[in-house]
Amino acid sequence: MNAMQPPPKLKKLSLKERYAHLTRELGWKTTYQPMDKVFPYAEYEGIKIHDWDAWEDPFRLTMDAYWKYQAEKERKLYAVIDSFAQNNGHLNITDARYVNALKLFLTGVSPLEYSAHRGYAHVGRHFVGAGPRIACQMQAIDELRHAQTQLHTMSHYNKFFDGLHDSRHMHDRVWYLSVPKSFFEDACSAGPFEYLTAISFSFEYVLTNLLFVPFMSGAAFNGDMATVTFGFSAQSDEARHMTLGLEIIKFMLEQDEANVPIVQRWIDKWFWRGYRLLALVAMMMDYMLPKRIMSWDEAWEMYFEQAGDALFNDLSRYGIRKPKYFEVASKEKHRLSHEVWATFYNYTQATAFHTWLPSEEEMKWLSAKYPDTFDRLYRPRFECWRAMEEKGNRYYNPTLPQLCVTCQIPMIFTEPDDPTTTCFRATEYKGERYHFCSDGCKDIFCYEPEKYVQSWLPVHQIYQGNCGGADLKDVIAWYHINFGVDNFDYTGSPDQKLWDEWQLQRSSNPV
Amino acid sequence: MTVTAIGPYEFKSRDHVDNFHGNRVVYWHWEEHLMFCAAIALMLPPAMPFGEVLGNVLPGCYGMHPEFSQIVWPKVTWMLDSRPFKPDMEAGLAANHVGHKSLLRFWTPGLHGLGGAVV
């Protein structure tokens, strides 16, 4: 018999060899074209890299292992989402007001996950070293997965609640969503090193806990097990992303001393941009969760002041100091959430989620958490609005607000040392005036005015006639917000009506 | 170059006065009245008399505030683009040097917001 001989068994590769073959050895020096033509974005930002192989990859993850881990997580997540849907999990949330936090997340954050996917795919192509390229490519896939799992998880709520039907479209058009959108577009249109400093370091490393912990703990506290599960599913990815964030900073700083001032300027810029973006989270924590986790003030102390101190102490040996204006952010921690919630209360006629006045019990919580500011400055505002509401005249601000050219948030913030006076900063560039909410936003503009003179400011776009028409109803329709359904106060909304009916049924059919 | 870029990078400002159909955007801010969460942005014709804005436009923006009807306009203190300013009520905005994207902040004596809390 001529039985076929089995091929000789090859020696199994050691982990180290596998890692080398599947990551570092995927790169090569080009011969048909010069390297700088193949990697045209590697040097223009002024960052000097002498040895790309000095890049450390603490996870040493290879693509085959990556697929295996992710597939396992995916199976678990979809099992939970299915059971949540089959058991009508939405009935177990604390209150329908909670869903408004999800509306904010789906329209404001999930599209950023998708933008991050695109951003990492782009920079993953443009780094010269194979180490950072592979790390960026894996993160690009993670981010796409996060966008997908968030959409899938929240699609269950879309069957019952309003405002969740067109998040992608809204992200590109709705006035308050220009804040997260412009944040990410600023990063994606920067060079690869600035992009990683912006997203991997400043956002994923320094500020991420202030975004994900509040939303995921908020979900857990308010009975939303579906959202908690995608949070868990993303958590191990986030750990990898944070490591990439710290690694890129250390890599740049160790490669050349000339990189230090460039990196410092990016840290300053992206700390401030990220902090301004988190204003939405501050409001969510203090006002939108029916059952609260902790106050914004407490979260800022724990996740930025304490954790940030340790981080920047560690980086000081490279000549890096704390981000500029961190002290302004700390001064604002007693007022941020109140100023932002008041803004959305002003303009709920143009939002895809509902707002409401805090109840007396909620105001007690706010007084206790903000003893220096709440009763003195913000309670009177709410009481005044309550009185108007009781007269059947719920307050809506009828005029469009002035916006900051950099962060695109309405000019609502107050002077760092005086919470009763609005903070105005301005500059002139090529004979034209530009306005800012803070020194942080003004500095960012003044360093690269050519970039920000292009800001797509929703208020000015409405006036220029680019947003579907001149009337509120026209603009709302152009946003794909259903007038009288998705917008206006929670009181009297279809969401509230439906929720109240469910509660009534539940109490009349005790199980 | 004013930007870090791989090539020439020049753009016209997106909010250039030419884009507003002959009007100007002017920002107004009633100090000590933070019920209105931010300064307001109005698109106005440059020839509109200053007094007409106060008499015909601002009531639609601020009129629901109980203190608005008590404002004595001749006593109001103004700042135009960070400089003290005395408006000529009969003259148009342009003649008052109120330009595109000018900021007008005004303080109303005796009226400091509701509840002692600049509401």
Side-chain angles (χ1 to χ4, degrees):
Chain A
M1 295 290 285
N2 282 337
M4 218 157 70
Q5 289 296 313
K9 212 168 181 185
L10 291 174
K11 197 175 144 261
K12 213 176 163 194
L13 292 173
S14 73
L15 271 179
K16 204 174 158 191
E17 285 168 321
R18 260 184 96 71
Y19 171 75
H21 282 306
L22 287 171
T23 58
R24 298 303 174 101
E25 286 173 22
L26 294 176
W28 68 92
K29 281 251 184 303
T30 57
T31 50
Y32 305 150
Q33 291 286 337
M35 285 289 272
D36 58 348
K37 270 196 164 177
V38 178
F39 296 101
Y41 301 154
E43 287 173 10
Y44 82 93
E45 297 171 276
I47 294 291
K48 294 185 174 65
I49 303 297
H50 305 289
D51 177 15
W52 281 98
D53 288 335
W55 173 275
E56 291 290 340
D57 189 351
F59 281 88
R60 304 210 156 215
L61 194 59
T62 54
M63 208 32 105
D64 54 341
Y66 174 83
W67 290 126
K68 205 175 121 210
Y69 293 138
Q70 299 301 78
E72 186 54 36
K73 287 196 289 186
E74 205 85 329
R75 274 192 292 276
K76 284 183 189 155
L77 172 66
Y78 282 93
V80 173
I81 293 177
D82 279 349
S83 92
F84 186 80
Q86 285 171 22
N87 293 302
N88 289 320
H90 59 279
L91 295 174
N92 296 326
I93 57 173
T94 44
D95 186 79
R97 288 181 304 163
Y98 164 74
V99 180
N100 292 288
L102 294 181
K103 298 175 192 180
L104 193 60
F105 195 90
L106 187 69
T107 54
V109 181
S110 301
L112 298 187
E113 304 270 17
Y114 183 69
S115 300
H117 154 67
R118 296 178 64 188
Y120 281 101
H122 172 71
V123 299
R125 157 67 181 81
H126 283 286
F127 282 122
V128 177
R133 278 224 302 272
I134 299 275
C136 287
Q137 284 163 12
M138 283 181 191
Q139 186 162 347
I141 303 166
D142 290 341
E143 304 289 2
L144 185 60
R145 188 177 89 88
H146 296 175
Q148 283 175 339
T149 51
Q150 288 165 18
L151 286 167
H152 288 162
T153 306
M154 289 193 217
S155 68
H156 179 73
Y157 287 94
N158 182 42
K159 294 178 200 161
F160 306 99
F161 298 97
D162 300 316
L164 292 155
H165 54 280
D166 211 350
S167 57
R168 182 66 241 176
H169 177 96
M170 289 182 190
H171 186 73
D172 286 336
R173 295 190 178 188
V174 176
W175 61 277
Y176 53 94
L177 299 174
S178 81
V179 175
K181 179 181 164 73
S182 67
F183 169 91
F184 232 95
E185 288 183 348
D186 190 351
C188 285
S189 55
F193 287 106
E194 182 178 346
Y195 177 82
L196 284 205
T197 309
I199 306 304
S200 294
F201 179 72
S202 298
F203 203 69
E204 301 260 16
Y205 196 90
V206 184
L207 298 172
T208 194
N209 282 335
L210 283 157
L211 178 66
F212 275 91
V213 175
F215 270 107
M216 298 315 143
S217 315
F221 269 53
N222 287 280
D224 176 8
M225 294 327 286
T227 302
V228 173
T229 309
F230 87 53
F232 277 135
S233 181
Q235 206 170 36
S236 54
D237 302 340
E238 298 299 339
R240 198 154 21 81
H241 302 171
M242 288 178 80
T243 311
L244 173 62
L246 196 55
E247 184 52 36
I248 186 70
I249 290 292
K250 291 190 170 171
F251 179 63
M252 286 190 283
L253 297 173
E254 281 167 6
Q255 284 290 310
D256 201 299
E257 223 174 306
N259 294 342
V260 176
I262 303 175
V263 171
Q264 180 72 60
R265 189 171 47 72
W266 287 338
I267 291 176
D268 291 346
K269 168 181 172 181
W270 288 99
F271 162 75
W272 189 257
R273 290 225 64 180
Y275 165 67
R276 274 288 181 249
L277 182 61
L278 291 176
L280 292 172
V281 181
M283 152 180 105
M284 193 279 297
M285 292 181 77
D286 285 346
Y287 285 91
M288 298 179 81
L289 296 178
K291 200 165 170 203
R292 288 154 171 77
I293 335 153
M294 58 163 74
S295 67
W296 167 257
D297 168 297
E298 290 163 334
W300 184 255
E301 274 173 24
M302 182 185 305
Y303 295 117
F304 184 74
E305 291 177 3
Q306 291 167 20
D309 263 356
L311 169 67
F312 285 99
N313 277 340
D314 184 34
L315 291 175
S316 65
R317 66 194 156 103
Y318 298 105
I320 290 291
R321 52 157 175 75
K322 268 187 171 179
K324 214 170 161 186
Y325 304 123
F326 77 90
E327 74 286 355
V328 176
S330 287
K331 282 178 185 174
E332 288 183 355
K333 69 187 173 186
H334 307 300
R335 54 177 111 138
L336 188 65
S337 63
H338 318 298
E339 291 177 345
V340 178
W341 183 246
T343 305
F344 281 96
Y345 188 82
N346 267 243
Y347 291 110
T348 307
Q349 70 273 40
T351 58
F353 62 92
H354 303 294
T355 60
W356 54 88
L357 287 173
S359 67
E360 187 47 46
E361 196 188 329
E362 287 168 326
M363 289 211 280
K364 269 189 198 140
W365 184 88
L366 290 161
S367 304
K369 293 294 179 186
Y370 296 96
D372 298 333
T373 54
F374 186 76
D375 285 345
R376 183 166 61 91
L377 296 166
Y378 308 111
R379 181 189 283 271
R381 215 174 284 186
F382 294 130
E383 282 172 350
C384 168
W385 286 334
R386 170 86 62 214
M388 290 173 80
E389 198 178 276
E390 281 166 3
K391 283 185 199 145
N393 195 18
R394 199 279 198 192
Y395 167 73
Y396 292 105
N397 191 326
T399 321
L400 302 178
Q402 181 190 22
L403 305 180
C404 171
V405 173
T406 303
C407 70
Q408 308 201 2
I409 299 175
M411 297 273 291
I412 60 169
F413 301 105
T414 42
E415 285 287 352
D417 293 308
D418 176 8
T420 65
T421 303
T422 303
C423 184
F424 291 98
R425 299 290 183 270
T427 192
E428 271 196 27
Y429 179 67
K430 292 190 176 167
E432 204 170 329
R433 289 180 197 86
Y434 296 91
H435 298 268
F436 312 98
C437 68
S438 54
D439 291 311
C441 280
K442 183 182 168 182
D443 281 8
I444 293 167
F445 177 94
C446 288
Y447 191 79
E448 290 184 295
E450 289 294 350
K451 193 165 188 179
Y452 301 97
V453 298
Q454 305 167 64
S455 287
W456 194 91
L457 299 178
V459 167
H460 293 172
Q461 289 301 311
I462 291 170
Y463 282 146
Q464 288 180 29
N466 300 330
C467 302
D471 290 337
L472 172 68
K473 277 197 170 172
D474 298 334
V475 176
I476 293 297
W478 187 76
Y479 288 168
H480 288 194
I481 291 175
N482 296 313
F483 194 88
V485 176
D486 305 334
N487 59 345
F488 294 119
D489 203 281
Y490 176 71
T491 308
S493 66
D495 272 5
Q496 187 198 28
K497 225 177 126 203
L498 182 66
W499 182 256
D500 289 350
E501 276 170 21
W502 287 344
Q503 300 313 304
L504 205 67
Q505 280 171 14
R506 192 181 287 192
S507 57
S508 60
N509 296 316
V511 184
Chain B
M1 194 148 59
T2 54
V3 72
T4 309
I6 47 171
Y9 193 98
E10 289 257 349
F11 292 89
K12 214 180 146 188
S13 123
R14 201 181 289 272
D15 292 323
H16 194 271
V17 67
D18 294 351
N19 298 342
F20 291 88
H21 320 289
N23 298 301
R24 289 175 181 184
V25 174
V26 182
Y27 308 114
W28 304 73
H29 186 60
W30 186 9
E31 295 286 337
E32 302 179 300
H33 291 80
L34 295 181
M35 175 194 289
F36 308 95
C37 60
I40 56 174
L42 294 173
M43 188 167 71
L44 303 165
M48 185 182 265
F50 201 93
E52 197 186 321
V53 181
L54 305 189
N56 294 337
V57 182
L58 294 192
C61 309
Y62 293 126
M64 77 289 274
H65 196 289
E67 287 188 337
F68 186 76
S69 58
Q70 301 170 43
I71 298 175
V72 183
W73 288 108
K75 291 194 174 165
V76 166
T77 312
W78 293 90
M79 294 274 275
L80 170 62
D81 295 322
S82 319
R83 288 183 304 276
F85 168 66
K86 265 220 143 351
D88 174 347
M89 295 295 170
E90 309 302 318
L93 293 169
N96 269 296
H97 306 288
V98 175
H100 180 50
K101 294 194 270 173
S102 271
L103 167 67
L104 282 154
R105 302 172 69 176
F106 61 99
W107 283 258
T108 49
L111 306 174
H112 307 292
L114 308 172
V118 300
V119 175

